[in-house]
Amino acid sequence: GAVVSQHPSRVICKSGTSVKIECRSLDFQATTMFWYRQFPKQSLMLMATSNEGSKATYEQGVEKDKFLINHASLTLSTLTVTSAHPEDSSFYICSARGFRGQNTGELFFGEGSRLTVL
Amino acid sequence: AQSVTQPDIHITVSEGASLELRCNYSYGATPYLFWYVQSPGQGLQLLLKYFSGDTLVQGIKGFEAEFKRSQSSFNLRKPSVHWSDAAEYFCAVGAHQAGTALIFGKGTTLSVSS
């Protein structure tokens, strides 16, 4: 089946630094990828929709200058948390939908990246 | 507004007993419906999904769910719970159109007692 790989799975950084998280679709082309954020014991909240070759669409309340999203190819989207602060500590999960004939509506999820900002 | 409601925040079931997790949705179009399970510190695993056709869908690990359009529900069931089923369960709804994300419920924590 389709696989989405996310890297790194865990990252610890100092406050003020930037962290990049990669999301790759391994065996299908993903024109659209989604980035979710999950706080402890809470649900997944959609942060942004990443479209290949165009600017990402951010959900209300999500700072686009803080959470930079780049979707440069059909298999890779990156989320960069800029000038990270402790309140940015969270579990970030990416997901992708298939391309053309694979559009079944199902999202394939990465394993998630746990960010801890000290 | 599009939303997913999981009324039960936390459920405890005895091992071997049956389980039903409730999910109600509000969606303007014909929805795709999903159940995911998440163990602590882990990503999401798809249990089952409903796109169309038979309203009773079978999933992995012995789970099933029934789509009831009249009740806007998609409840998850399992006839006999195992201790390894203890986890967080999320119901989600999505559109048929490409480029749309899933909307998740707040989740139900399942504890299994011996």
Side-chain angles (χ1 to χ4, degrees):
Chain A
V3 177
V4 174
S5 176
Q6 203 170 326
H7 178 80
S9 58
R10 294 179 181 273
V11 57
I12 300 173
C13 70
K14 294 181 178 180
S15 184
T17 61
S18 294
V19 175
K20 179 185 286 187
I21 301 170
E22 293 186 346
C23 179
R24 294 181 184 273
S25 57
L26 297 183
D27 57 358
F28 68 100
Q29 293 179 318
T31 53
T32 303
M33 290 185 174
F34 306 94
W35 287 95
Y36 289 84
R37 182 175 182 176
Q38 185 182 31
F39 289 107
K41 299 187 183 300
Q42 295 192 26
S43 187
L44 284 78
M45 299 303 297
L46 180 66
M47 297 175 65
T49 300
S50 168
N51 297 296
E52 188 267 335
S54 64
K55 292 183 179 180
T57 302
Y58 291 82
E59 296 299 301
Q60 190 173 8
V62 178
E63 300 175 60
K64 61 181 181 181
D65 294 330
K66 178 155 193 70
F67 299 100
L68 300 179
I69 292 173
N70 184 280
H71 193 160
S73 75
L74 286 172
T75 58
L76 174 64
S77 176
T78 60
L79 168 68
T80 301
V81 183
T82 63
S83 187
H85 288 91
E87 57 266 29
D88 299 324
S89 299
S90 190
F91 194 53
Y92 294 88
I93 305 176
C94 74
S95 64
R97 292 183 81 153
F99 176 67
R100 293 180 180 167
Q102 298 177 46
N103 178 25
T104 62
E106 179 181 351
L107 287 185
F108 300 100
F109 284 86
E111 303 91 343
S113 299
R114 182 162 303 284
L115 170 63
T116 302
V117 184
L118 303 177
Chain B
Q2 301 167 352
S3 64
V4 177
T5 302
Q6 293 179 248
D8 305 304
I9 297 174
H10 191 173
I11 285 182
T12 299
V13 176
S14 298
E15 189 169 16
S18 64
L19 168 70
E20 181 170 36
L21 300 182
R22 295 183 292 166
C23 173
N24 293 95
Y25 67 90
S26 174
Y27 208 74
T30 302
Y32 285 151
L33 294 158
F34 307 85
W35 275 98
Y36 288 89
V37 61
Q38 184 181 36
S39 297
Q42 302 297 311
L44 297 175
Q45 181 180 25
L46 178 67
L47 286 176
L48 47 78
K49 61 195 177 198
Y50 171 78
F51 290 156
S52 63
D54 193 346
T55 56
L56 182 64
V57 294
Q58 303 297 321
I60 62 172
K61 303 183 179 184
F63 286 93
E64 67 177 26
E66 185 172 12
F67 171 54
K68 293 185 177 180
R69 185 187 299 275
S70 61
Q71 299 177 18
S72 297
S73 69
F74 189 57
N75 294 346
L76 181 71
R77 300 193 293 253
K78 186 170 184 178
S80 178
V81 169
H82 188 263
W83 64 267
S84 60
D85 293 324
E88 189 80 13
Y89 291 81
F90 292 98
C91 180
V93 63
H96 289 213
Q97 293 81 14
T100 57
L102 294 188
I103 300 170
F104 285 83
K106 293 185 181 296
T108 298
T109 301
L110 173 65
S111 297
V112 180
S113 61
S114 56

